[in-house]
Amino acid sequence: MQFASLGSGSAGNSFIVKQNQSLLMIDCGFAMQDIVSRLDRLNQSPENITGILLTHEHEDHVKGAFKLANKFKIPIWLSYGTYKMCEKHMIKSYEIDLNIIDSHNTFEIEDFVIQPFPVPHDAREPTQFTLSDGNHKLGILTDTGSSTPHIEKMLQQLDALIIEFNHDLNLLESSEYTYSLKKRISGKLGHLDNQTAAEILGKIQFKQLKHLVAAHLSEKNNTEELVKEAIVGKIGCERDWIKIATQVDGTSWQVI
């Protein structure tokens, strides 16, 4: 089982996870041609994609999803709330296999067992996911304003974790953002700041965790050094062990 980021940040987000011949894309927040070129960087193509999972309706997560799915006949899995909010993207001529999921019920796609879980975010029915091949498990947690006991339960006993480290509270507070935008980002339905994300890590059992990827970093209100400082300060790991999913390059393939 292996995974990679095609890019992560406010301008677009997408992850891919591969096991045998199954290739899942989680979110598709780039224009279709950009997605194709980012896939090519990792020696993949849209024809290889088994399915697309969407976490929520915000543009930096769904921008190219429906056009890509229509052109390459890729099924999509998403919550009902996300579906309703994405109807504007679905041109009448599109023919897409849409699968509505329950955010508490496990489902399977070929070699993967997927467990969705609800998260607090300012979207209609946002979900995040864990994905397992039966031997290893990857957790993904982005676009979340605050933690919950259920989130922390879902992220136990992982082999790899992608987790949002969106902003540093001090940088956000001193930024040129409007007061309302600052409140939205830092609120309970916004995005995880460095300290809150680090606190979530502190509640996870790390014995079998092989990969930790920090994602969705704000270009203006965070730095890689601040992220690593927060993580090392909480869990005492080596700085070089922490990987950062960048906006431009994402990450290379990570093998679990």
Side-chain angles (χ1 to χ4, degrees):
M1 184 174 174
Q2 54 187 327
F3 69 96
S5 166
L6 299 181
S8 185
S10 58
N13 296 272
S14 185
F15 304 98
I16 53 176
V17 186
K18 190 174 188 298
Q19 172 63 19
N20 298 325
Q21 299 306 307
S22 299
L23 179 69
L24 296 184
M25 175 176 284
I26 297 88
D27 287 336
C28 185
F30 301 97
M32 188 172 74
Q33 286 306 115
D34 195 4
I35 277 286
V36 172
S37 65
R38 288 169 184 265
L39 283 167
D40 184 64
R41 174 173 57 82
L42 294 167
N43 298 313
Q44 297 297 320
S45 69
E47 289 88 352
N48 301 137
I49 299 174
T50 306
I52 299 172
L53 310 178
L54 297 180
T55 60
H56 64 295
E57 72 269 15
H58 292 164
E59 193 74 1
D60 59 324
H61 293 262
V62 304
K63 183 174 184 178
F66 300 96
K67 190 173 184 179
L68 188 79
N70 177 65
K71 181 173 182 178
F72 296 98
K73 306 307 175 189
I74 306 169
I76 292 179
W77 280 259
L78 72 176
S79 70
Y80 181 74
T82 301
Y83 160 72
K84 294 301 292 182
M85 296 301 289
C86 286
E87 284 186 304
K88 62 184 178 182
H89 296 286
M90 299 177 204
I91 297 172
K92 288 185 178 180
S93 61
Y94 281 2
E95 295 182 2
I96 305 174
D97 178 9
L98 293 172
N99 300 271
I100 304 300
I101 64 171
D102 184 302
S103 59
H104 292 278
N105 290 342
T106 302
F107 60 98
E108 297 183 16
I109 304 175
E110 292 191 356
D111 292 322
F112 289 101
V113 177
I114 299 132
Q115 174 65 66
F117 54 95
V119 296
H121 190 53
D122 56 355
R124 180 73 172 269
E125 191 183 354
T127 59
Q128 297 293 314
F129 301 99
T130 66
L131 302 95
S132 173
D133 64 357
N135 295 310
H136 303 102
K137 184 184 289 188
L138 165 69
I140 301 175
L141 178 67
T142 68
D143 294 73
T144 302
S146 52
S147 187
T148 69
H150 185 60
I151 288 174
E152 292 158 12
K153 179 181 178 182
M154 291 297 100
L155 298 183
Q156 300 298 330
Q157 298 180 329
L158 298 174
D159 297 283
L161 173 61
I162 300 168
I163 181 170
E164 174 177 62
F165 275 78
N166 179 256
H167 60 280
D168 173 80
L169 283 171
N170 291 327
L171 288 181
L172 178 64
E173 184 59 33
S174 61
S175 74
E176 297 180 354
Y177 283 11
T178 63
Y179 175 77
S180 60
L181 182 55
K182 291 177 183 179
K183 293 297 287 184
R184 174 187 171 270
I185 292 170
S186 63
K188 296 293 185 181
L189 299 178
H191 292 270
L192 291 175
D193 67 86
N194 292 348
Q195 293 306 317
T196 302
E199 287 170 9
I200 293 173
L201 294 180
K203 298 176 182 178
I204 294 174
Q205 296 179 13
F206 274 84
K207 289 182 179 179
Q208 65 190 62
L209 197 71
K210 299 179 179 69
H211 301 283
L212 175 63
V213 178
H216 217 309
L217 275 68
S218 169
E219 182 180 357
K220 296 182 178 180
N221 300 312
N222 214 350
T223 69
E224 293 187 14
E225 277 307 304
L226 285 172
V227 169
K228 291 186 176 183
E229 181 181 305
I231 295 172
V232 172
K234 175 57 67 172
I235 64 174
C237 64
E238 296 292 330
R239 297 179 86 88
D240 292 343
W241 179 67
I242 305 163
K243 300 175 183 68
I244 306 290
T246 66
Q247 183 71 89
V248 175
D249 298 319
T251 68
S252 60
W253 282 112
Q254 309 296 312
V255 180
I256 302 177

